């Protein structure tokens, strides 16, 4: 029997923990095939520890790089140094990184400098604008340059890599691992007792879930968004805004100073993953600039208004499930009001299957790594790759519409 493949999986922020969780758990379930070390750079402290706790992942290396209000350069330097050290100690066959954070970029570079092959989960997302999102668009392009196997979530991301000259045999279309993470959560009853949501009155209000944390939106854009949220609650007495505020101090100062103490706008601390997913399940619609939340919302058939000028995740908007609306006060108010008042528009955006994945991405990633380790090609048979589901039809029957729209009201029962 051949020796187990030694894998270092690196994570540092909340979305990396959520999106690598099932890959790590699957690697650890198969110890005769894989020896796995989880490296936690500590780029995020509290926000990521919530997710690790939920998925029962204990890091083997905790590098503790986070500093209050850290700069990108200093953070990158600390990750490069500490990940190199972890690589020397574990001597992996492959380093797995996820997405487009500083942890992903600097860890991929550290592995490359140590001549260790890199596997990139969520490869090939492109907005084609290096300042939107900043610095993520450049980070993920830089990771691609040093990557050995590109785990592209969809055919779109594969095509972007092919257009940049990446050889087809190094790309595997897997679906997004975030859909794997949601497996089992969609039916799970969950109580809001003892969570930051417990204080929110549970009446018939429609819940508008908001998150925003991107560096390119700090300042004026986020101020505009706050003013739009105030306009919306003033004009619609039947809505409540729930906004779990990111821990970046630059985000918190704006949001708390403009929205603190506003009637029916509820600012909370970041939610643990299961509480956040239960809120996603109960809300009426989502306004967000988050990558992961754009990908999760279609699993619960929740329309997403994307608070960005461009997205590298076009599948939901191509399927009519999301709209890229930018950050102007007028556009945010107009597009949200459309969904609050026009049932058919709402239903058109809350139909069909999730175009980002089918819950089997981790399985595909492990099969491809195994075949790579054994020197086999192709890394995954084309018929096993993730395929987009059918596009949902537009304008459903009126009778369905009324029924479904009332289902989108928050459930009152806390199980
Ligand atoms: C980072 C990623 C971004 C990702 C986001 C997910 C980079 C450059 N940015 O952005 O791509 O979308 O995470 O949330 O990699 N902080 C805490 N506790 C925490 C987390 C953050 O106090 O648990 C504070 C610290 O003061 C820290 C600051 O937030 O210095 C910024 O954190 P950082 O990881 O640099 O950037 P994010 O905006 O979180
Ligand atoms: N999330 C969470 N608690 C929150 C907000 C988000 O657990 O209060 C989860 C969410 O379900 C998604 C991920 O965090 O899986 C998204 O992280 P974030 O928006 O910070 O980063 P991005 O995806 O934009 O990189």
């Amino acid at each position: 029997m051949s020796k187990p493949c030694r894998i270092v999986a690196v994570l540092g922020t909340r979305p990396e923990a959520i999106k690598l969780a099932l890959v790590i758990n699957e690697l650890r379930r198969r110890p005769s095939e894989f020896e796995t070390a989880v490296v936690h750079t500590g780029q995020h402290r509290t926000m990521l520890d919530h997710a690790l706790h939920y998925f029962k992942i204990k890091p083997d290396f905790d590098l503790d790089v986070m500093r209050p209000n850290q700069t990108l350069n200093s953070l990158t330097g600390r990750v490069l140094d500490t990940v190199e050290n972890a690589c020397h100690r574990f001597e992996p066959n492959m380093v797995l990184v996820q997405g487009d954070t500083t942890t992903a970029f600097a860890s991929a570079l550290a592995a490359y400098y140590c001549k260790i092959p890199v596997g990139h989960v969520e490869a090939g997302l492109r907005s084609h604008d290096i300042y939107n999102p900043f610095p993520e668009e450049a980070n993920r392009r830089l990771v691609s340059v040093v990557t050995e196997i590109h785990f592209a979530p969809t055919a779109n991301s594969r095509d972007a890599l092919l257009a940049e000259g990446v050889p087809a045999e190094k790309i595997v279309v897997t679906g997004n691992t975030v859909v794997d993470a949601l497996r089992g959560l969609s039916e799970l009853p969950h109580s809001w007792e003892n969570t930051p949501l417990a204080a929110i009155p549970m009446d018939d209000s429609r819940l508008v879930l908001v998150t925003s944390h991107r560096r390119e939106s700090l300042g004026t854009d986020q101020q505009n968004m706050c003013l739009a949220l105030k306009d919306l609650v003033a004009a619609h007495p039947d809505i409540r805004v729930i906004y779990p505020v990111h821990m970046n101090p630059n985000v918190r100062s704006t949001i708390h100073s403009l929205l603190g103490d506003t009637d029916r706008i509820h600012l909370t601390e970041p939610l643990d993953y299961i509480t956040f997913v239960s809120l996603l399940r109960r809300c009426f619609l989502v306004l967000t600039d988050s990558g992961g939340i754009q990908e999760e919302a279609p699993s619960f058939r929740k329309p997403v208004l994307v608070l960005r000028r461009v997205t590298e995740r076009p599948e939901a908007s191509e399927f009519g499930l999301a709209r890229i609306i930018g950050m102007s006060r007028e556009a945010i108010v107009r597009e949200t009001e459309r969904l609050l008042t026009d049932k058919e528009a709402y239903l058109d955006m809350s139909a069909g299957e999730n175009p980002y994945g089918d819950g089997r991405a981790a399985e595909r990633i492990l099969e491809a790594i195994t075949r790579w380790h054994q020197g086999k090609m192709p890394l995954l048979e084309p018929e096993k790759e993730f395929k987009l589901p059918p596009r949902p039809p537009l304008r459903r029957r009126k009778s369905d519409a009324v029924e479904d729209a009332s289902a989108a009201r928050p459930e009152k029962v806390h199980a």
Side-chain angles (χ1 to χ4, degrees):
M1 210 170 113
S2 60
K3 278 206 207 156
C5 182
R6 291 172 69 80
I7 303 283
V8 159
V10 193
L11 41 83
T13 64
R14 172 170 68 189
E16 291 166 280
I18 293 167
K19 289 176 167 180
L20 280 181
L22 269 75
V23 176
I24 290 168
N25 285 342
E26 192 59 21
L27 286 165
R28 287 198 159 152
R29 227 176 41 80
R30 292 159 60 171
S32 58
E33 296 161 73
F34 300 101
E35 281 174 30
T36 310
V38 175
V39 172
H40 176 3
T41 64
Q43 176 176 339
H44 280 180
R45 200 65 270 176
T46 330
M47 282 169 42
L48 170 134
D49 289 348
H50 286 155
L52 291 181
H53 178 75
Y54 171 69
F55 289 106
K56 300 188 178 64
I57 293 173
K58 284 204 173 63
D60 301 276
F61 297 85
D62 193 335
L63 310 178
D64 204 21
V65 299
M66 195 193 92
R67 301 291 178 271
N69 210 4
Q70 57 208 1
T71 66
L72 295 175
N73 287 314
S74 64
L75 174 65
T76 303
R78 287 192 296 278
V79 175
L80 267 174
D81 270 353
T82 51
V83 168
E84 175 183 10
N85 193 18
C87 285
H88 286 318
R89 286 173 57 191
F90 191 73
E91 297 188 349
N93 299 104
M94 173 168 277
V95 170
L96 270 187
V97 302
Q98 196 286 331
D100 50 22
T101 64
T102 294
T103 285
F105 158 60
S107 304
L109 185 60
Y112 167 72
Y113 284 160
C114 298
K115 296 204 172 157
I116 301 166
V118 173
H120 185 199
V121 176
E122 200 181 80
L125 275 60
R126 296 291 184 267
S127 68
H128 303 286
D129 174 349
I130 56 165
Y131 289 103
N132 276 296
F134 172 83
E136 291 81 5
E137 175 71 3
N139 280 349
R140 56 188 166 233
R141 287 204 223 175
L142 293 162
V143 175
S144 296
V145 175
V146 296
T147 289
E148 171 71 19
I149 309 182
H150 307 255
F151 299 107
T154 64
N156 271 333
S157 38
R158 178 202 52 212
D159 293 348
L161 291 164
L162 291 173
E164 289 170 14
V166 175
E169 63 273 18
K170 295 195 168 200
I171 307 172
V172 183
V173 181
T174 61
N176 198 301
T177 52
V178 82
V179 183
D180 300 28
L182 290 175
R183 223 170 32 198
L185 280 184
S186 45
E187 300 307 324
L188 213 61
H190 182 67
S191 164
W192 286 355
E193 248 174 70
N194 302 320
T195 76
L197 301 178
I200 298 171
M202 265 299 117
D203 48 23
D204 274 345
S205 302
R206 290 181 289 179
L207 303 182
V208 177
L209 169 56
V210 180
T211 81
S212 153
H213 70 275
R214 303 241 76 89
R215 273 180 161 74
E216 69 275 11
S217 303
L218 297 177
T220 313
D221 279 351
Q222 285 203 328
Q223 289 160 11
N224 288 337
M225 178 199 66
C226 291
L227 297 175
L229 295 176
K230 283 180 169 234
D231 293 344
L232 284 163
V233 286
H236 299 273
D238 69 326
I239 67 168
R240 291 181 184 279
V241 167
I242 305 189
Y243 186 158
V245 186
H246 193 281
M247 292 186 84
N248 186 332
N250 303 301
V251 174
R252 290 176 95 80
S253 56
T254 306
I255 303 304
H256 282 283
S257 71
L258 288 177
L259 295 180
D261 295 326
T262 309
D263 191 29
R264 285 180 289 109
I265 296 187
H266 306 276
L267 305 181
T268 76
E269 289 303 307
L271 302 174
D272 67 77
Y273 182 55
I274 184 154
T275 305
F276 185 80
V277 171
S278 87
L279 174 58
L280 193 52
R281 213 170 72 185
R282 283 186 197 191
C283 73
F284 184 76
L285 66 91
V286 182
L287 273 79
T288 190
D289 64 7
S290 160
I293 299 169
Q294 285 178 64
E295 293 156 341
E296 290 168 337
S299 285
F300 302 99
R301 301 196 167 174
K302 303 298 173 172
V304 182
L305 298 176
V306 181
L307 300 170
R308 300 194 196 186
R309 293 180 179 80
V310 286
T311 182
E312 62 284 0
R313 299 167 158 90
E315 289 80 359
S317 45
E318 285 169 9
F319 270 52
L321 311 177
R323 282 170 84 94
I324 319 300
I325 63 168
M327 284 296 259
S328 85
R329 180 175 177 176
E330 294 71 27
I332 295 172
V333 171
R334 185 183 63 241
E335 295 296 329
T336 308
E337 290 199 320
R338 205 168 65 87
L339 290 175
L340 289 171
T341 55
D342 179 342
K343 262 184 192 150
E344 297 235 330
Y346 182 89
L347 287 165
D348 278 348
M349 287 186 71
S350 50
E353 289 170 54
N354 191 325
Y356 293 106
D358 58 2
R360 295 180 44 222
E363 196 184 300
R364 295 185 179 101
I365 290 169
L366 262 70
E367 181 164 349
I369 297 176
T370 303
R371 289 176 63 84
W372 169 82
H373 188 55
Q374 296 169 344
K376 291 185 183 159
M377 287 303 253
L379 294 174
L380 192 68
E381 301 293 343
E383 63 276 13
K384 290 189 176 174
E385 291 193 319
F386 170 66
K387 311 276 182 311
L388 281 182
R391 270 165 204 259
L394 284 184
R395 302 273 175 232
R396 289 183 294 162
R397 284 180 297 118
K398 202 91 184 181
S399 54
D400 291 341
V402 175
E403 214 170 279
D404 287 4
S406 60
R409 287 188 174 266
E411 304 151 35
K412 275 194 181 161
V413 185
H414 287 192

